[in-house]
């Protein structure tokens, strides 16, 4: 009897706690309604690298004295970087985005931000803030790049990168460190990888579809497993890189080439030996499908498969397969070239 009473009390206490989390306290003010800015119909703008994207910000009326300030929230340090400030007549651009941004200004109430030649680092959250004395208000929008996440490790084995080395390694392969949102989306699309890797905010994760012993055990549910924030200088892991659409083409040259000959073969065609991110992009967006292993710029040998088949690795899922980092003197493979 006492046990039933105790369980009942625990249930009431738990229900009360959950209710207090999800209900706004009586008398607490509702979020202020926007007076001057229109709520955007869609808070996420989808685009690809190299495209032109516009983030909407429209005023319903013009205050007597006002400014509109656009800024970007940087995921690596959660700081806001100012992009542009306007008073409706004049504007000033700031920061590295300065050469590629302008106000759309299709009518006098339009303060929308247009970004040309969208780059990988442009993805993220933006804020359009109306500064009007005590009546400041803002809307937040997300610029989302369609792309692909891939795990990356160097030729000398796994868990060799500190954070800064991982960031540089991704950039050298025509990509950048993935955000958590990008990694999570890749997991929902089938990314299953047992090695932990850095992402852009300095935390470490690995995505698991099929729970298994070497990857946390069979009892843990599938998901994006996390090690949390780690020391960016001392701790060492792999990297999760993100890339988007190419402004160019990846193609294969058949042959029995060593690494040096592979690079020369691409240069003979007015191209460069492809980077890992470029091969992933061609696989994702151009559906490049070849059963031939080819050299890449980092000294690895890989091949892209969009239609899995028995004699192309035998794996049931599409993907970019890897032969690792063979000796650069081997004359066994062709090469993948990139021309912009």
């Amino acid at each position: 009897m006492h046990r039933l009473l105790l369980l009942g009390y625990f249930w009431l206490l738990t229900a009360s706690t959950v209710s207090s989390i999800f209900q706004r306290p009586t008398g607490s003010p509702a979020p202020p309604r926007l007076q001057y800015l229109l709520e955007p119909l869609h808070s996420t703008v989808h685009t690809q690298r190299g495209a032109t994207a516009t983030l909407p910000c429209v005023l319903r009326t013009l205050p007597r004295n006002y400014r509109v300030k656009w800024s970007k929230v940087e995921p690596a340090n959660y700081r806001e970087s100012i992009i542009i400030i306007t008073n409706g007549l004049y504007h000033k651009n700031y920061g590295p985005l300065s050469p590629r941004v302008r106000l759309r200004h299709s009518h006098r109430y339009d303060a929308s931000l247009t970004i040309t030649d969208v780059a990988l680092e442009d993805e993220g959250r933006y804020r359009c803030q109306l500064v009007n004395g005590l009546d400041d208000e803002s809307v937040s929008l997300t610029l989302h790049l369609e792309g692909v996440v891939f795990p990356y490790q160097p030729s000398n084995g796994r868990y060799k990168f500190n954070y800064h080395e991982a960031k540089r390694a991704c950039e050298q392969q025509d990509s950048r460190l993935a955000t958590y949102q990008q990694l999570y989306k890749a997991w929902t699309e089938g990314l299953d990888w047992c090695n932990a890797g850095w992402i852009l905010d300095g935390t470490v994760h690995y995505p698991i579809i099929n729970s298994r012993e070497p990857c946390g055990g069979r009892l843990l549910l599938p998901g994006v497993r996390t090690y949390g924030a780690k020391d960016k200088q001392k701790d060492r892991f792999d990297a999760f890189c993100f890339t988007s659409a190419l402004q160019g083409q990846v193609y294969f040259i058949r042959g029995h080439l060593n690494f040096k000959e592979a690079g020369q073969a691409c240069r003979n065609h007015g191209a460069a030996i492809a980077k890992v991110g470029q091969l992933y992009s061609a696989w994702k967006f151009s559906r490049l499908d070849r059963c031939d292993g080819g050299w890449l710029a980092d000294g690895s040998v890989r091949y892209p498969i969009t239609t899995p088949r028995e004699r192309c690795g035998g794996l049931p899922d599409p993907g970019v397969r890897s032969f690792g980092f063979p000796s650069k003197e081997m004359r066994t493979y062709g090469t993948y070239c990139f021309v912009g």
Side-chain angles (χ1 to χ4, degrees):
M1 182 68 178
H2 290 296
R3 187 177 180 185
L4 287 175
L5 286 172
L6 185 61
L7 286 172
Y9 173 75
F10 176 76
W11 184 89
L12 286 171
L13 181 62
T14 304
S16 172
T17 303
V18 171
S19 175
S20 69
I21 292 172
F22 289 101
Q23 292 182 5
R24 194 170 64 242
T26 304
S28 66
R33 294 188 61 186
L34 294 173
Q35 181 180 357
Y36 296 105
L37 297 176
L38 288 172
E39 191 73 38
L41 288 176
H42 304 287
S43 60
T44 300
V45 174
H46 296 265
T47 189
Q48 292 181 351
R49 177 168 55 173
T52 295
T54 297
L55 299 167
C57 184
V58 178
L59 284 67
R60 67 173 83 236
T61 185
L62 298 178
R64 186 168 183 178
N65 294 302
Y66 76 95
R67 289 180 299 154
V68 170
K69 180 176 75 172
W70 274 100
S71 56
K72 183 176 187 289
V73 180
E74 301 297 345
N77 52 28
Y78 302 105
R79 295 179 181 173
E80 285 197 20
S81 301
I82 297 175
I83 299 170
I84 196 167
I85 296 178
T86 180
N87 63 0
L89 295 174
Y90 307 102
H91 69 271
K92 185 174 181 180
N93 294 13
Y94 297 86
L97 264 174
S98 180
R100 297 189 288 112
V101 295
R102 58 180 171 81
L103 294 172
R104 182 174 64 180
H105 216 57
S106 58
H107 52 79
R108 67 195 189 108
Y109 298 101
D110 186 13
S112 302
L113 183 73
T114 295
I115 305 173
T116 60
D117 193 20
V118 171
L120 294 175
E121 60 269 22
D122 296 342
E123 171 154 307
R125 188 157 61 89
Y126 292 76
R127 189 159 75 109
C128 176
Q129 181 182 13
L130 178 79
V131 182
N132 181 37
L134 298 177
D135 297 324
D136 292 3
E137 56 190 54
S138 64
V139 294
S140 291
L141 301 111
T142 298
L143 185 66
H144 171 76
L145 268 69
E146 301 294 338
V148 57
V149 171
F150 60 94
Y152 189 75
Q153 57 184 224
S155 59
N156 57 342
R158 72 172 194 157
Y159 294 175
K160 301 296 183 181
F161 293 135
N162 67 24
Y163 172 81
H164 306 287
E165 292 164 345
K167 185 172 182 290
R168 188 161 54 248
C170 288
E171 291 166 355
Q172 289 170 348
Q173 296 308 314
D174 193 51
S175 59
R176 72 187 301 238
L177 278 175
T179 65
Y180 181 82
Q181 290 78 8
Q182 290 164 344
L183 182 62
Y184 184 88
K185 184 174 184 290
W187 169 71
T188 66
E189 295 172 349
L191 181 60
D192 182 283
W193 198 255
C194 205
N195 294 343
W198 293 101
I199 63 172
L200 188 59
D201 65 3
T203 57
V204 175
H205 309 266
Y206 64 102
I208 294 296
I209 298 288
N210 302 306
S211 298
R212 51 203 186 273
E213 283 305 326
C215 306
R218 298 180 184 275
L219 298 180
L220 283 179
L221 293 174
V224 178
R225 314 253 174 91
T226 179
Y227 289 177
K230 291 293 182 179
D231 189 306
K232 292 182 178 181
Q233 291 287 354
K234 296 179 181 178
D235 290 322
R236 295 189 173 271
F237 297 95
D238 291 345
F240 286 105
C241 305
F242 171 83
T243 192
S244 186
L246 285 173
Q247 299 296 294
Q249 180 188 7
V250 172
Y251 61 93
F252 181 74
I253 293 179
R254 189 183 298 276
H256 297 283
L257 309 169
N258 64 29
F259 178 70
K260 185 177 180 180
E261 292 166 344
Q264 187 60 53
C266 291
R267 289 191 292 273
N268 290 343
H269 285 76
I273 189 168
K275 299 177 179 180
V276 177
Q278 291 167 341
L279 185 65
Y280 269 92
S281 179
W283 166 73
K284 175 76 172 180
F285 293 99
S286 303
R287 299 190 60 79
L288 184 62
D289 185 295
R290 286 207 67 104
C291 209
D292 305 283
W295 291 103
L296 296 176
D298 67 340
S300 65
V301 172
R302 306 172 196 251
Y303 62 101
I305 296 295
T306 56
T307 305
R309 45 209 187 270
E310 189 63 33
R311 294 189 178 183
C312 294
L315 297 176
D317 300 314
V320 174
R321 320 281 197 235
S322 175
F323 286 122
F325 294 84
S327 167
K328 291 184 176 181
E329 300 305 317
M330 286 184 64
R331 283 191 170 93
T332 306
Y333 308 104
T335 184
Y336 287 97
C337 304
F338 171 75
V339 60

